[in-house]
Amino acid sequence: MKSVLSFSNSITYEKLYEAYMFARRGKTLREDVIKFSLRQEDYINIICDKLRNGRYTFGKYREFYVYEPKKRRILAASFKDRIVHTWYVRNFIEKIFVPSFISTSYACIKGRGMHECALRVKKDLYNVNKKWEDAYVIKMDAAKYFQNINKNILLEIIEEKSKKYFVNNEEHTKYVMFTKKIIESSKEFDEVEEKGIPIGNYTSQMFGNIYLDTIDQYAKSKLKCKYYYRYMDDTCIIVENKAKAKEILRRLERMYHEVLELKLNSKTQIFKVSQGINFCGYKIKIGRMYLRNKGKKKLIKKLKYIRKNIVRENITVEEAKRSINGHVGYMKIADVNNLVKKYFYLNEYIK
């Protein structure tokens, strides 16, 4: 393709303003967002000036932990930095890397979310069952993925793959140096030297996709894995028999270790298609798809809590509907009739 990108020319007030509007979605009532918004024109111009003269520095991260679905450390960037992360992703990552991702890589890509991934697996599982009598599934998960990403390897991948997209070497160098600045912005939190990118950054999600795209391309082009799906570091592959599954897993495990310095965790396994696949929050079987037990229990607990508070008039029905909005999409594509009848009285809401 023709080299068209310029790091310098991408630093404009208009592009930073678009990033600001994107970054503030759903956060307009937060104190830091309100303070920035009161003087948004001044602040965006300051960001532009610092990016242009190479003096932009990322601030400190706010560290905290979440415990669902498991304990994870989150490093939250300041709102100003989130705007810059968003600008970087929209103007470079989405133009350079996303178009070359395989079609069955789903996480953090527009139009390719968790639900689309689960539905694709369900559809292909039905077709595979008619074609192969002894089909097997390879289920892989990288051990402590984000904290084990090698920063140097990540930067090398980005530098090599982005080279042809820039108008000249100078602009490409500026891009690579700024990418390095982003990658190293959380250096003080590294548990192992030169390893780890923060969960919580918009850039980290995309860096995670770029890192494992190496595996995706190898699996699709070299190993000819037709039924291959990845949602961040969670990967599922359907193959024709157990021997093929063992061989593919062996070769992929070696790629993870030798090329990316990653290990597969203890949950990695191979099993018959007839057992069903736990993937993207669902138990996917031939022709059917259910909520996983963990997700079902969490949903039932929330529904009971909401119903109790409606009865006590602590919340209104409309407030209750808003609080379960996030669960509606999750339920809509699964087989949940019995669950709805027993716990979910707002049937018309999920039609």
Side-chain angles (χ1 to χ4, degrees):
M1 67 162 283
K2 184 180 178 181
S3 300
V4 294
L5 294 180
S6 164
F7 184 80
S8 302
N9 291 343
S10 296
I11 305 169
T12 66
Y13 179 90
E14 290 73 23
K15 290 181 184 295
L16 266 301
Y17 179 78
E18 287 175 7
Y20 154 71
M21 292 299 291
F22 186 89
R24 74 195 288 263
R25 293 186 313 170
K27 301 178 179 71
T28 53
L29 298 180
R30 288 177 52 159
E31 185 179 354
D32 55 344
V33 179
I34 292 171
K35 286 181 178 178
F36 189 97
S37 300
L38 289 173
R39 294 182 56 198
Q40 65 188 46
E41 187 173 341
D42 292 338
Y43 288 139
I44 292 173
N45 277 320
I46 290 170
I47 292 172
C48 278
D49 289 341
K50 288 186 176 182
L51 287 172
R52 288 192 187 108
N53 60 34
R55 290 193 299 108
Y56 188 88
T57 56
F58 291 94
K60 285 190 171 292
Y61 286 89
R62 180 170 61 88
E63 181 183 20
F64 61 95
Y65 289 84
V66 296
Y67 297 89
E68 288 290 340
K70 59 185 178 182
K71 183 180 178 181
R72 291 182 298 171
R73 183 180 67 172
I74 306 296
L75 300 179
S78 68
F79 182 63
K80 171 180 68 72
D81 288 347
R82 289 203 301 274
I83 292 170
V84 176
H85 286 299
T86 303
W87 166 81
Y88 173 86
V89 169
R90 290 167 71 90
N91 287 278
F92 302 107
I93 300 295
E94 289 183 357
K95 293 178 180 179
I96 298 170
F97 297 96
V98 172
S100 66
F101 288 161
I102 65 169
S103 62
T104 52
S105 170
Y106 285 88
C108 309
I109 302 171
K110 188 176 180 181
R112 289 195 241 164
M114 186 178 290
H115 298 162
E116 287 77 13
C117 184
L119 288 170
R120 175 65 182 271
V121 173
K122 179 186 175 186
K123 177 184 175 183
D124 287 349
L125 198 59
Y126 180 79
N127 294 329
V128 162
N129 185 56
K130 293 192 291 184
K131 183 167 63 171
W132 295 331
E133 290 183 1
D134 193 33
Y136 268 74
V137 176
I138 306 166
K139 187 74 167 47
M140 305 189 306
D141 194 0
K144 298 179 179 179
Y145 179 52
F146 282 96
Q147 71 187 67
N148 283 316
I149 289 177
N150 185 301
K151 296 181 180 183
N152 295 323
I153 294 175
L154 173 62
L155 189 61
E156 285 173 11
I157 292 170
I158 292 173
E159 182 174 6
E160 181 59 32
K161 290 189 175 181
S162 62
K163 196 178 298 180
K164 65 182 180 181
Y165 290 86
F166 285 83
V167 293
N168 55 47
N169 289 337
E170 183 182 356
E171 289 301 316
H172 180 243
T173 299
K174 288 179 181 178
Y175 166 72
V176 172
M177 295 309 294
F178 190 75
T179 301
K180 184 178 182 181
K181 190 179 284 188
I182 294 174
I183 292 172
E184 293 185 344
S185 64
S186 59
K187 192 174 183 178
E188 65 177 291
F189 295 96
D190 291 354
E191 294 178 7
V192 177
E193 189 175 359
E194 298 299 336
K195 281 197 172 185
I197 57 175
I199 297 173
N201 271 359
Y202 190 33
T203 46
S204 295
Q205 296 170 331
M206 300 309 293
F207 287 155
N209 271 333
I210 292 168
Y211 204 66
L212 283 183
D213 183 61
T214 303
I215 302 293
D216 298 345
Q217 302 296 343
Y218 176 73
K220 296 291 281 186
S221 62
K222 299 293 184 183
L223 303 183
K224 307 300 180 185
C225 297
K226 181 178 180 180
Y227 301 104
Y228 175 102
Y229 321 87
R230 181 173 64 79
Y231 191 88
M232 197 46 72
D233 61 313
D234 201 359
T235 304
C236 167
I237 312 168
I238 307 171
V239 297
E240 52 263 56
N241 56 57
K242 189 174 184 178
K244 187 75 174 283
K246 284 183 175 181
E247 175 61 14
I248 288 174
L249 178 57
R250 183 186 67 80
R251 295 176 69 175
L252 287 176
E253 194 166 17
R254 188 172 65 191
M255 277 287 290
Y256 269 80
H257 177 66
E258 294 180 359
V259 178
L260 299 180
E261 296 186 3
L262 293 173
K263 292 181 180 179
L264 297 177
N265 70 17
S266 59
K267 292 187 288 185
T268 297
Q269 58 183 314
I270 61 172
F271 50 89
K272 276 185 168 288
V273 156
S274 57
Q275 292 179 227
I277 307 169
N278 287 328
F279 199 52
C280 291
Y282 298 92
K283 180 75 170 183
I284 306 170
K285 295 193 172 185
I286 298 163
R288 306 286 285 175
M289 190 160 72
Y290 305 95
L291 304 185
R292 290 183 63 184
N293 287 336
K294 187 185 293 185
K296 193 188 299 182
K297 287 177 183 176
K298 186 178 177 182
L299 177 59
I300 290 170
K301 184 178 179 181
K302 181 162 187 175
L303 290 173
K304 285 181 175 179
Y305 173 81
I306 287 172
R307 280 165 40 197
K308 183 166 66 177
N309 278 278
I310 289 175
V311 170
R312 292 177 177 176
E313 298 186 351
N314 292 332
I315 59 172
T316 65
V317 172
E318 287 305 314
E319 288 172 333
K321 286 181 178 181
R322 286 196 294 272
S323 73
I324 58 171
N325 261 338
H327 298 280
V328 171
Y330 177 50
M331 294 178 66
K332 275 178 89 170
I333 65 170
D335 299 293
V336 293
N337 285 340
N338 290 336
L339 178 68
V340 169
K341 288 174 184 176
K342 188 171 182 181
Y343 295 102
F344 209 116
Y345 298 154
L346 305 174
N347 288 27
E348 75 283 355
Y349 191 54
I350 62 169
K351 286 180 181 177

